[in-house]
């Protein structure tokens, strides 16, 4: 009875922290155990056998995001060696659809958390700014699976996108002005009006997109 009550309390606590229903938490627990081999924690190598990730051009960044302390809300930088089930839920929560019962302020907060997660994927050195080099790396990885696009072309696409970001965020720049990179506030401006819901999927976990922000 004590163990059952403890498990029930744990689920209630996780429901409160993550916004998942108890059924969703149980489904995610089964997936977590499958990934971890029934171990209490998951390490990066556990993601190596996920079929839907094998051909994803940014698989390394997706996996890294699960261990990023910023996303785990455990610090401003660094990577965790392993994550437990509650950490796993914390990451999955970024992918949760916006709840139709939310008011406008909650919707904007939820959207901001989703975009912060994406920003962290680009900002690989955790300095709060996406530099041209970091942006190039992501674009090159995204286009690496396309045999018709050479590396120089990918760099040109990244450079053009960065120039466009600079114009969106800074307006008309002076000839000697240098754009040092995309801050999170810039990132929010760039994504304004774009439906973030269609850009974030967790299909590689063999589940429907089903998780939330607070």
């Amino acid at each position: 009875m004590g163990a059952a009550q403890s498990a029930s309390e744990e689920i209630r606590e996780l429901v409160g922290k993550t916004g998942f229903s108890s059924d969703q938490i149980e489904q995610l627990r089964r997936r977590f155990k499958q990934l971890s081999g029934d171990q209490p924690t998951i390490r990066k190598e556990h993601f190596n056998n996920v079929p839907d990730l094998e051909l994803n051009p940014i698989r390394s960044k997706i996996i890294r995001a699960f261990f990023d302390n910023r996303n785990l809300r455990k610090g401003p930088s660094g990577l965790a060696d392993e994550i437990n089930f509650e950490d796993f839920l914390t990451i999955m929560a970024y992918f949760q659809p916006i709840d139709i019962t939310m008011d406008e302020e909650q919707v904007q907060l939820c959207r901001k958390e989703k975009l912060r997660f994406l920003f962290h994927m680009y900002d690989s050195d955790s300095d709060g700014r996406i530099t041209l080099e970091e942006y190039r790396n992501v674009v090159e990885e995204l286009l690496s699976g396309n045999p018709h696009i050479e590396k120089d072309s990918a760099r040109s696409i990244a450079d053009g996108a960065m120039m466009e970001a600079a114009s969106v965020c800074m307006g008309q720049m002076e000839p000697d002005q240098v754009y040092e990179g995309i801050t999170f506030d810039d990132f929010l401006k760039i994504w304004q009006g774009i439906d973030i819901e269609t850009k974030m999927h967790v299909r590689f976990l063999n589940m429907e997109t089903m998780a939330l922000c607070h």
Side-chain angles (χ1 to χ4, degrees), residues 10 15 23-24 61 91-92 106 125 129 133 136 138 151 171 177-178 186 200:
E10 181 198 9
V15 167
D23 286 344
Q24 288 172 331
K61 283 188 166 49
I91 299 301
M92 293 303 296
Q106 289 172 315
D125 64 1
R129 194 181 295 272
E133 199 58 39
R136 278 175 177 165
V138 174
K151 189 169 184 176
Q177 194 172 359
V178 176
D186 293 343
M200 294 179 70

Side-chain angles (χ1 to χ4, degrees), residues 138-152:
V138 174
V139 172
E140 286 173 11
E141 285 182 19
L142 281 170
L143 299 177
S144 62
N146 189 327
H148 305 295
I149 298 181
E150 297 178 356
K151 189 169 184 176
D152 286 346

Side-chain angles (χ1 to χ4, degrees), residues 28 31-32 34-35 42 44 46-56 58-67 83 88 91-92 95 117 121 199-210:
L28 287 165
R31 190 61 178 120
F32 179 87
Q34 188 180 355
L35 282 171
I42 285 177
K44 291 186 188 73
H46 287 119
F47 286 89
N48 291 339
N49 299 320
V50 179
D52 290 339
L53 267 182
E54 283 180 18
L55 300 178
N56 192 306
I58 59 167
R59 68 181 297 276
S60 62
K61 283 188 166 49
I62 293 171
I63 294 171
R64 188 180 188 277
F66 274 80
F67 298 86
I83 58 172
F88 181 71
I91 299 301
M92 293 303 296
F95 297 90
F117 180 88
M121 288 182 71
K199 308 296 181 186
M200 294 179 70
H201 303 284
V202 286
R203 214 175 303 152
F204 67 90
L205 290 170
N206 297 328
M207 287 181 261
E208 296 299 319
T209 306
M210 58 168 217

